């Protein structure tokens, strides 16, 4: 029985790529009984019927998965945030970083539209770039003007499955089109009345970029921490994880506890104050979340 990878999901059909070509498949009824849905990125076995059509018979074990967007077996998430239009937001970036870290996926940060900045604004963005790089994140500044920059991004994609995440209007589809001009993904201008772009991507699909696969998705439809618990939150901040073993109390949550190594690091600027403030904001948000029954 052949095996392959689901490259696209659309209207109940799954398009499975193998060495011999692309097959349009449906899922077996047993998946519905098990409440298991095939996802783009899944490695599957399938039964060929005729005319390159078939039925998926088994889904192999997943390394990880996202619910929104629905993608499995992801190596990394490229978080695209704009320097301007819409304005750069560390709060929004940190929300994306926490969501990605919580799913045990490696984040990479692309800051787009730097060509729209004046010198003082660029200097501020570069200072944030330095802060995130010191934490351990890879951060690239990209513009709509320099094709050379896009060629230099190729190493991020080779032999990996990536998901592109980011707020509407930051240029995710434009980025993919520049990386692979044959895609011709629809893009829309920023809605000036709303300050954000219109959603143009309607389904999940893996597209080929620089010898890798990228999930062209509608992005995260929710930025809520609806499945993240308080104990897992510190792990989503690498600079907190690095220091939490030096806290006096085991299980320290770095909020009100005395002799907390994390708070001491904030006091001496070893941890950026805005990152710690976002940690506290997310902590309160999760703590005040209504329980689900």
């Amino acid at each position: 029985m052949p095996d392959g990878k689901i490259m696209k999901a659309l209207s109940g059909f799954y398009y499975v790529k193998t060495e011999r070509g692309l097959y349009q498949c449906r899922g077996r009824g047993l998946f519905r009984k098990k409440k298991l849905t095939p996802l783009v990125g899944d490695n599957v076995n399938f039964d060929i019927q005729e005319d390159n059509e078939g039925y998926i018979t088994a889904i192999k074990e997943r390394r990880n998965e996202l619910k929104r967007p629905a993608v499995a077996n992801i190596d990394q998430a490229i978080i695209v945030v704009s320097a301007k239009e819409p304005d750069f937001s560390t709060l929004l970036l940190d929300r994306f970083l926490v969501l990605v870290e919580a799913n045990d996926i490696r984040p990479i940060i692309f800051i787009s539209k730097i060509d729209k900045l004046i010198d003082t604004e660029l200097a501020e963005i570069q200072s944030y770039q330095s802060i995130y790089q010191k934490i351990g994140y890879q951060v690239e500044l990209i513009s709509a003007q320099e094709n050379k920059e896009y060629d230099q991004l190729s190493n991020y994609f080779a032999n990996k499955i990536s998901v592109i995440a980011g707020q509407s209007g930051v240029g995710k589809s434009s980025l993919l089109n520049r990386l692979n001009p044959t895609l011709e993904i629809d893009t829309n201008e920023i809605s000036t009345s709303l300050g954000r772009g219109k959603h143009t991507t309607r389904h999940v699909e893996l597209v080929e970029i620089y010898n890798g696969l990228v999930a062209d998705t509608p992005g995260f439809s929710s930025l809520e921490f609806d499945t993240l618990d308080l104990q897992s939150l510190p792990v989503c901040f690498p600079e907190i994880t690095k220091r939490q073993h030096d806290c006096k109390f085991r299980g320290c949550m770095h909020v009100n506890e005395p002799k907390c190594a994390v708070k001491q690091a904030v006091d001496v600027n070893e941890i950026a104050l805005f990152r710690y403030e976002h940690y506290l904001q997310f902590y309160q948000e999760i703590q005040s979340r209504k329980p689900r029954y």
Side-chain angles (χ1 to χ4, degrees):
M1 192 168 290
D3 59 5
K5 183 183 294 292
I6 297 178
M7 300 292 288
K8 180 169 71 171
L10 183 63
S11 302
F13 287 99
Y14 303 96
Y15 297 84
V16 180
K17 185 176 183 179
T18 73
E19 293 180 352
R20 303 178 67 177
L22 193 67
Y23 294 83
Q24 178 179 282
C25 299
R26 286 193 178 274
R28 286 288 191 193
L30 63 90
F31 295 131
R32 288 192 295 273
K33 293 177 183 177
K34 294 180 179 179
K35 296 183 178 180
L36 182 63
T37 302
L39 299 178
V40 168
D42 270 333
N43 298 306
V44 299
N45 293 115
F46 66 101
D47 181 19
I48 298 174
Q49 302 294 306
E50 57 184 21
D51 297 328
N52 280 29
E53 294 191 359
Y55 281 91
I56 294 172
T57 57
I59 300 172
K60 298 181 181 180
E61 185 177 356
R62 292 168 180 159
R63 187 168 71 253
N64 55 41
E65 66 179 273
L66 290 174
K67 299 295 185 185
R68 299 184 296 266
V71 190
N73 299 315
I74 306 147
D75 294 309
Q76 59 189 19
I78 295 174
I79 302 170
V80 184
V81 291
S82 58
K84 204 167 189 177
E85 297 178 8
D87 290 340
F88 181 72
S89 167
T90 57
L91 179 60
L92 187 63
L93 173 55
D94 286 346
R95 292 189 79 89
F96 275 112
L97 286 170
V98 168
L99 287 166
V100 170
E101 294 273 13
N103 285 279
D104 197 26
I105 298 169
R106 175 177 173 241
I108 296 170
I109 303 167
F110 285 2
I111 303 178
S112 65
K113 304 184 184 181
I114 62 166
D115 51 297
K116 294 182 178 292
L117 302 178
I118 61 175
D119 289 347
T120 54
E121 292 170 331
L122 177 59
E124 183 179 14
I125 292 295
Q126 288 172 331
S127 69
Y128 282 120
Q129 178 188 28
S130 177
I131 290 170
Y132 282 102
Q133 285 175 329
K134 286 177 181 177
I135 293 170
Y137 293 118
Q138 291 177 286
V139 186
E140 292 286 345
L141 306 185
I142 57 177
S143 74
Q145 309 299 323
E146 296 290 337
N147 285 324
K148 182 181 177 183
E149 290 179 358
Y150 288 83
D151 293 335
Q152 292 173 345
L153 300 178
S154 60
N155 290 337
Y156 286 108
F157 297 94
N159 303 313
K160 293 183 176 65
I161 295 180
S162 309
V163 61
I164 303 285
Q167 181 186 15
S168 296
V170 298
K172 298 188 299 294
S173 294
S174 296
L175 171 66
L176 291 174
N177 284 338
R178 294 291 290 274
L179 293 170
N180 185 347
T182 65
L183 296 176
E184 297 181 350
I185 299 168
D186 288 337
T187 60
N188 266 324
E189 294 298 319
I190 295 290
S191 169
T192 54
S193 61
L194 296 176
R196 61 177 186 267
K198 300 175 183 178
H199 285 290
T200 54
T201 317
R202 301 301 179 194
H203 65 275
V204 182
E205 179 176 1
L206 290 177
V207 296
E208 295 186 2
I209 301 283
Y210 286 125
N211 298 316
L213 296 173
V214 176
D216 172 31
T217 78
F220 288 84
S221 60
S222 173
L223 289 175
E224 304 300 319
F225 303 129
D226 49 2
T227 60
L228 184 64
D229 58 53
L230 284 176
Q231 285 66 39
S232 299
L233 180 62
V235 183
C236 299
F237 285 77
E239 66 270 51
I240 290 179
T241 304
K242 180 181 176 181
R243 294 170 173 85
Q244 62 184 7
H245 298 296
D246 296 325
C247 295
K248 180 178 180 180
F249 295 101
R250 188 176 180 181
C252 179
M253 293 303 293
H254 326 298
V255 180
N256 298 314
E257 300 89 339
K259 297 187 179 179
C260 167
V262 170
K263 290 191 289 183
Q264 291 171 358
V266 174
D267 290 339
V268 297
N269 295 320
E270 290 180 358
I271 292 179
L273 177 60
F274 74 87
R275 286 276 292 175
Y276 180 65
E277 289 175 341
H278 294 165
Y279 170 81
L280 294 178
Q281 182 174 332
F282 300 158
Y283 182 94
Q284 292 296 329
E285 183 177 326
I286 295 169
Q287 190 177 50
S288 61
R289 184 176 62 206
K290 292 183 179 179
R292 294 184 174 185
Y293 300 102

